[in-house]
């Protein structure tokens, strides 16, 4: 089974295909080429793909552990697992080594969207090989209108962490430097409680890691899907904030 690989390995090892990425599918390859046809430098190409995925509305698809990239593209929405799967597939489709880094975050960063008690949350970050180094980001997960709604709500509540992001976190990417949205080095509350390493896709992580493999079971999948429904309902409320800020504040 796939395992997390050493960080000093050959980046070309992160160009392969998997059933979840399926980046060789004509629809994914044509989309990747179309989005990058006017870009020449690798980081410009990566940025074009990032922007396309970032503008897709945030929304939980359900069980994100095994959703294929093509399904994410068809649904035109996703969360950290599914949007990251699609982005890695698109990056590999144009020959840029890319991978997922899985970390566990304290549930504080989701406060206001879903209550998970004290249980850490597995979170996907994307890493792409640019100019002889890995560049990490997760600022593609939340679409810009939702980012603004969440930042406004945090400000109204006098908090810096919640609703999927940190007020001081990155909400965009320049194609060259690290850009993490819910994680800020100066705020210990936001830092990962565990770094699981790098994987091709979410399924390769969950299926090969003993501590989280149970989340592939039917009961866990049902809990995941029910939780996704609650998240999407709350996100729908947040998206109306620009029109009715006072009412939204009360309802949250």
């Amino acid at each position: 089974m796939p395992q997390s690989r050493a960080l000093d390995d050959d980046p070309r090892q992160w160009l392969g295909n998997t059933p979840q990425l399926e980046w060789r599918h004509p629809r994914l390859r044509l989309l990747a080429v179309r989005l990058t046809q006017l870009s020449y430098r690798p980081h410009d190409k990566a940025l074009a793909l990032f922007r396309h995925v970032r503008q897709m509305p945030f929304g939980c698809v359900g069980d994100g552990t095994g959703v294929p990239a093509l399904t994410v593209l068809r649904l035109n929405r996703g969360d950290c697992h599914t949007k990251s799967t699609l982005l890695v597939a698109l990056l590999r489709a144009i020959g840029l080594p890319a991978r997922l880094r899985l970390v566990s975050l304290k549930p504080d960063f989701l406060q206001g969207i879903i209550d998970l008690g004290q249980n850490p949350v597995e979170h996907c970050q994307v890493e792409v090989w640019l100019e002889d180094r890995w560049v990490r980001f997760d600022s593609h997960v939340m679409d810009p209108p939702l980012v603004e709604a969440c930042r406004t709500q945090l400000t109204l509540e006098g908090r810096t962490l919640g609703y999927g992001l940190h007020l001081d976190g990155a909400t965009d990417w320049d194609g060259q430097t690290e850009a993490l949205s819910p994680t800020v080095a100066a705020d210990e509350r936001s830092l990962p409680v565990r770094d699981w390493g790098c994987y091709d896709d979410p399924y390769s992580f969950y299926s090969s890691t003993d501590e989280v493999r149970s989340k592939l079971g039917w009961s866990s999948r049902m809990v995941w899907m029910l939780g996704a429904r609650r998240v999407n309902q709350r996100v729908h409320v947040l998206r109306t904030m620009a029109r009715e800020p006072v009412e939204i504040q009360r309802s949250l």
Side-chain angles (χ1 to χ4, degrees):
M1 277 186 274
Q3 300 289 334
S4 177
R5 305 175 200 164
L7 297 186
D8 58 352
D9 57 0
D10 187 338
R12 291 174 295 182
Q13 294 186 33
W14 299 97
L15 284 168
N17 204 14
T18 72
Q20 192 170 5
L21 295 176
E22 52 188 356
W23 66 257
R24 291 193 178 93
H25 191 281
R27 188 178 177 193
L28 285 170
R29 298 189 70 173
L30 287 172
L31 175 62
V33 170
R34 178 175 63 81
L35 291 171
T36 59
Q37 62 184 337
L38 299 180
S39 303
Y40 299 98
R41 296 177 297 180
H43 81 264
D44 289 329
K45 292 178 181 289
L47 189 55
L49 299 178
F50 162 87
R51 287 172 174 164
H52 180 79
V53 174
R54 178 176 179 248
Q55 61 81 30
M56 294 172 58
F58 173 89
C60 289
V61 176
D63 176 19
T65 59
V67 177
L70 272 174
T71 300
V72 184
L73 188 62
R74 176 176 57 82
L75 294 172
N76 191 42
R77 62 186 173 92
D79 51 27
C80 76
H81 284 63
T82 50
K83 290 181 80 169
S84 297
T85 297
L86 175 59
L87 187 49
V88 167
L90 292 173
L91 288 164
R92 291 190 185 189
I94 60 167
L96 289 178
R99 63 194 187 187
L100 295 184
R101 178 179 289 277
L102 273 294
V103 298
S104 290
L105 300 179
K106 297 175 184 176
D108 304 51
F109 88 102
L110 290 177
Q111 184 179 351
I113 291 183
I114 190 170
D115 182 6
L116 296 173
Q118 298 301 311
N119 298 319
V121 184
E122 285 77 51
H123 177 67
C124 286
Q125 302 167 341
V126 169
E127 294 186 352
V128 59
W129 184 258
L130 295 170
E131 298 180 355
D132 297 324
R133 62 193 178 93
W134 290 105
V135 182
R136 186 190 320 185
F137 56 89
D138 62 12
S139 48
H140 60 286
V141 174
M142 298 178 70
D143 57 279
L146 182 59
V147 165
E148 290 308 309
C150 293
R151 289 177 62 86
T152 298
Q153 191 62 32
L154 281 175
T155 301
L156 287 171
E157 296 176 7
R159 295 193 290 126
T160 57
L161 184 64
Y163 297 101
L165 53 78
H166 194 291
L167 273 183
D168 296 326
T171 57
D172 202 351
W173 185 49
D174 60 8
Q176 301 180 70
T177 56
E178 181 177 275
L180 302 178
S181 181
T183 303
V184 173
D187 190 343
E188 186 177 353
R189 297 173 306 153
S190 70
L191 299 180
V193 296
R194 181 161 182 175
D195 185 334
W196 297 94
C198 297
Y199 296 80
D200 290 302
D201 53 44
Y203 185 79
S204 69
F205 164 64
Y206 286 95
S207 63
S208 65
T209 307
D210 291 339
E211 294 93 330
V212 296
R213 188 180 293 118
S214 63
K215 295 188 177 183
L216 294 176
W218 176 247
S219 60
S220 293
R221 289 172 183 264
M222 288 299 296
V223 170
W224 197 317
M225 287 187 282
L226 291 172
R229 185 174 182 178
R230 292 196 296 271
V231 168
N232 290 336
Q233 289 171 342
R234 186 56 58 89
V235 166
H236 175 72
V237 173
L238 284 164
R239 288 190 185 282
T240 66
M241 180 175 294
R243 298 195 303 272
E244 302 174 273
V246 175
E247 292 303 317
I248 296 306
Q249 181 185 5
R250 290 173 181 168
S251 67
L252 290 171

